[in-house]
Amino acid sequence: MVIQVGIVGKPNTGKSTFFAAATLIDVKRAPYPFTTINPNIGIGYVKTQCVCRELGVKDNPRNSICIDGWRFVPVELIDVAGLVPGAWQGRGLGNMFLDHLRRAPVLIHVVDASGSTNEEGQPVPPGTHDPLKDVAFLEKELEMWVYQILSKDWEKISKLIDFQKNYEELYAKFTGLGISTSIVDQAIDELGLRGKKATSWSQENLLDLVRFLLKKAKPIVIAANKADIDVSIDNIKRMQRELGDRYIVVPTSAEAELALRKADKAGLIRYLPGDGDFEITGNPTSDQRKALEYIREKVLKRWGSTGVQEAINKAVFEKLGMIVVFPVENEKTFSDSKGNVLPDAFLVKGDATPRDLAFEIHTEIGKRFAFAIDARTGRRLSSNDKLTHRMVIKIVTSH
């Protein structure tokens, strides 16, 4: 199962550039609304230290990539077309765009931190638009989108809940949005709605329910983009200060990341996504050197990285709580049956067990799960033990 990450925001914030940098797919980019009509879907990666060096082996990755001791594990990125105010009412093809987000359990909201685009995504002088308004705008669009889906049939749903004395109708409504029944149950309990007749739930009750579910089921990382522009510095610090209790705010320059990845691909520099610097290895022109020096001074030295890789990592590892594990068939050589060393890296939930991993690999392996072995220590693991980040594990099945 490939984890899906939705890339969202208003037009002209650098959203498609973020996607292009993360996937190196040449999507159509232009500074006007609705450049992206259908969602661009591509493969990006989370980055974590591989275990190859500490185990003293040369690996042969199959489902992921290892570069200089760093393992890049694939995730699916969905670049949704730019949202404008009123998208939930269908403005600007908004409902179609919002529907593309159903599958994504986590979102990266690309915000123009320089304040050089207004609420419609049209260019304005840098610093004249408040990026905090864009965060509030997206919150409202998502809330109203889900609220409208729920409220449309609420009279019928609420009567069925009261008649059947269960919440099956409510679960069914949210399952289509990728929201699990356990999260719906948690919301009902924490909002004090259990035991209260559904037909008496107020509009505010429904909005509170929607907000709770979105916070839990569609967490958001903010990529504060255009961080190379000087006016962005104060805005980013203000965003981190005012939004820090609700969001992770990552200073980002998607243009810088795209330029560095292209320069690396062309052999001009050596650069690994997420690194804080690069090394010139080719012969860039004087203009290219100036551009690279600009990126080094205005982005890498200022913020520590371009933010693109960090935003993806934060979304998957921190917001979704995923970990990476390395399944092997031979715990002595850390290889599969064909001799490939550390062939696979799997993203699993932080509370996953060896049996969960077995089912991720193959349903049949999950059904026949007997026990597992921690390949580093040789310790035997039961189906109830918890996996840990960067664990190398062998699954043993019954015949």
Side-chain angles (χ1 to χ4, degrees), residues 320-367:
L320 289 184
M322 307 299 281
I323 59 173
V324 174
V325 291
F326 298 84
V328 296
E329 289 181 62
N330 186 323
E331 74 275 27
K332 307 290 186 206
T333 57
F334 312 114
S335 63
D336 64 12
S337 59
K338 294 175 183 170
N340 295 307
V341 177
L342 299 171
D344 296 323
F346 274 66
L347 279 164
V348 296
K349 289 180 179 173
D351 59 356
T353 65
R355 190 193 293 276
D356 294 331
L357 174 63
F359 273 106
E360 284 286 330
I361 295 167
H362 198 282
T363 308
E364 212 44 52
I365 293 173
K367 287 177 181 173

Side-chain angles (χ1 to χ4, degrees), residues 164-176:
Q164 295 169 347
K165 297 191 169 21
N166 63 43
Y167 297 99
E168 292 302 323
E169 293 294 322
L170 196 59
Y171 299 152
K173 203 72 181 166
F174 287 117
T175 302

Side-chain angles (χ1 to χ4, degrees), residues 289-337:
R289 279 183 184 273
K290 276 182 196 167
L292 288 168
E293 205 46 49
Y294 175 87
I295 290 170
R296 181 175 269 151
E297 292 300 318
K298 296 281 191 177
V299 180
L300 301 179
K301 284 187 179 176
R302 181 182 283 176
W303 302 112
S305 80
T306 69
V308 171
Q309 186 64 60
E310 187 186 348
I312 297 170
N313 270 24
K314 296 274 188 195
V316 175
F317 290 135
E318 292 190 32
K319 287 294 183 182
L320 289 184
M322 307 299 281
I323 59 173
V324 174
V325 291
F326 298 84
V328 296
E329 289 181 62
N330 186 323
E331 74 275 27
K332 307 290 186 206
T333 57
F334 312 114
S335 63
D336 64 12
S337 59

Side-chain angles (χ1 to χ4, degrees), residues 47-62:
K47 176 186 180 183
T48 190
Q49 272 194 305
C50 189
V51 293
C52 59
R53 289 186 174 174
E54 60 203 74
L55 296 178
V57 295
K58 174 79 181 80
D59 54 5
N60 314 93
R62 194 174 55 180

